[in-house]
Amino acid sequence: MDAGVSVKHAALPPEMAGWRLDRALAVAIPTLSRERLKTLISAGAVTVGEKIVRDPATKVTGGSAAIIAVPDPKPAHNVAQDIPLVIAFEDEHLIVVDKPAGLVVHPACGNLDGTLVNALLHHCRGSLSGIGGVERPGIVHRIDKDTSGLMVAAKTDRAHAGLAAQFADHSIDRRYKAIVSGRPRPADGRIEGNLGRSPSNRKKMAIVGGGQGKHAVTHYTTLTPLDGAALVECRLETGRTHQVRVHMSSIGHSLLGDASYGSVSRAHRKLLEQLNFRRQALHAARLGFIHPVTSRTLSFESNMPADMQELFSHLLV
């Protein structure tokens, strides 16, 4: 076999008789997604018996075997960097990290390195089987630079596709802790409002009229009343950019430290300066999903980081 190609063998047992080849191989080789297998089959990289098969819809003969020649993943354009990570969970398919505030998730203009992706490329070196043929972590959701907490990334095509599907159908359990100005009335509630780019500032999000933006729903619960503020839990029914920040601001309870979406009282401003707290008080505290390969129910919780805990303690009454 040529260098740069790995060979995978798949047994296709009698119970798979009549299945499409791409479906059967996706079950036999969990690390490859069905879409990736379709591409490999069409490229002539799959042999069943002694014959190369190029049609993903070919019906399987039970009791046969397949050989798949998988090109090694191409290196990602981003550089691997040894940036410390807090790992909540990791297996051969995915990784859950507890991101600190200040760490950008993905390289972009202004942040070409020093990101979570750069850190994952280093940490997962040798264990990424490639997303779409490229050796990179699969980022299926993001957390703002100045928000801390839990997020999941995929290591394989199949994990990436399975996680993306769960995010798309809003079945992921995502709960944030936020310290907001004022005490919400009612203490618990539901906020619904489409989110889109603000017409007055394209760098910000805003609640927009019907037929515009993306449908967004946030459920909030007051956990602890504070001095002119409250610690709330926000459960995302949808996951939109800046959703918690915009929705809580829309009901008059913006996040402390959030310069983009709210004003701050004189007392709170003085406390934030005293504590040198210079970010929105928002932490992704809970993340739950179905493992896309093993089908296990996974759930993770993260305590508020020291800076938010300190702010919370100073506001206790």
Side-chain angles (χ1 to χ4, degrees):
M1 186 59 64
D2 295 338
V5 175
S6 60
V7 178
K8 295 184 181 291
H9 297 266
L12 307 176
E15 55 266 29
M16 287 186 177
W19 288 23
R20 283 175 55 112
L21 178 59
D22 56 348
R23 177 192 172 201
L25 290 178
V27 171
I29 309 174
T31 55
L32 294 176
S33 70
R34 192 163 172 178
E35 288 304 312
R36 178 73 171 135
L37 285 163
K38 285 181 181 179
T39 300
L40 291 169
I41 295 168
S42 299
V46 176
T47 301
V48 179
E50 300 294 327
K51 183 180 178 182
I52 293 176
V53 180
R54 296 180 182 272
D55 184 358
T58 299
K59 301 301 181 185
V60 168
T61 300
S64 57
I67 298 173
I68 304 94
V70 183
D72 291 344
K74 298 175 183 177
H77 292 303
N78 305 117
V79 63
Q81 293 178 301
D82 188 4
I83 300 169
L85 291 173
V86 176
I87 309 298
F89 175 84
E90 182 176 10
D91 65 9
E92 64 268 38
H93 307 289
L94 56 86
I95 182 170
V96 178
V97 300
D98 199 338
K99 186 189 85 68
L103 181 64
V104 175
V105 170
H106 203 280
C109 183
N111 294 101
L112 298 179
D113 59 10
T115 71
L116 179 62
V117 165
N118 298 109
L120 289 172
L121 285 169
H122 180 273
H123 176 82
C124 300
R125 183 175 287 166
S127 66
L128 294 171
S129 68
I131 308 295
V134 178
E135 190 178 26
R136 62 183 173 88
I139 303 298
V140 290
H141 70 125
R142 301 190 187 193
I143 296 177
D144 295 340
K145 173 186 176 182
D146 291 326
T147 298
S148 54
L150 296 165
M151 63 175 293
V152 60
K155 292 183 176 184
T156 67
D157 264 315
R158 186 171 180 187
H160 187 265
L163 288 170
Q166 290 181 63
F167 276 97
D169 66 19
H170 310 308
S171 60
I172 302 284
D173 182 11
R174 298 175 69 185
R175 305 188 190 202
Y176 287 75
K177 287 184 178 177
I179 300 176
V180 303
S181 60
R183 298 180 179 180
R185 292 289 183 268
D188 306 339
R190 179 180 188 272
I191 307 168
E192 182 172 5
N194 285 17
L195 295 182
R197 292 289 172 187
S198 168
S200 60
N201 185 341
R202 301 299 293 174
K203 292 183 178 181
K204 294 173 60 175
M205 305 300 289
I207 292 181
V208 295
Q212 302 179 60
K214 294 182 178 180
H215 176 65
V217 177
T218 302
H219 301 266
Y220 72 86
T221 301
T222 299
L223 300 178
T224 310
L226 301 171
D227 184 9
L231 174 67
V232 300
E233 178 184 81
C234 294
R235 179 175 65 83
L236 301 190
E237 187 173 310
T238 58
R240 309 303 184 196
T241 302
H242 298 179
Q243 179 172 319
V244 171
R245 299 165 64 186
V246 176
H247 271 177
M248 292 308 297
S249 178
S250 75
I251 62 169
H253 299 287
S254 57
L255 276 59
L256 293 192
D258 192 347
S260 295
Y261 294 108
S263 58
V264 62
S265 69
R266 182 176 300 175
H268 286 157
R269 183 182 302 112
K270 183 177 179 180
L271 176 61
L272 294 173
E273 291 175 355
Q274 173 190 331
L275 299 178
N276 196 30
F277 192 93
R278 303 189 182 281
R279 69 177 181 100
Q280 62 267 8
L282 185 62
H283 178 66
R286 182 183 177 95
L287 179 65
F289 55 90
I290 303 299
H291 193 293
V293 177
T294 69
S295 298
R296 286 175 54 205
T297 298
L298 300 177
S299 184
F300 306 95
E301 295 197 14
S302 168
N303 293 327
M304 287 193 299
D307 63 340
M308 261 186 79
Q309 187 62 54
E310 184 181 32
L311 177 61
F312 171 79
S313 298
H314 276 78
L315 290 168
L316 277 174
V317 292

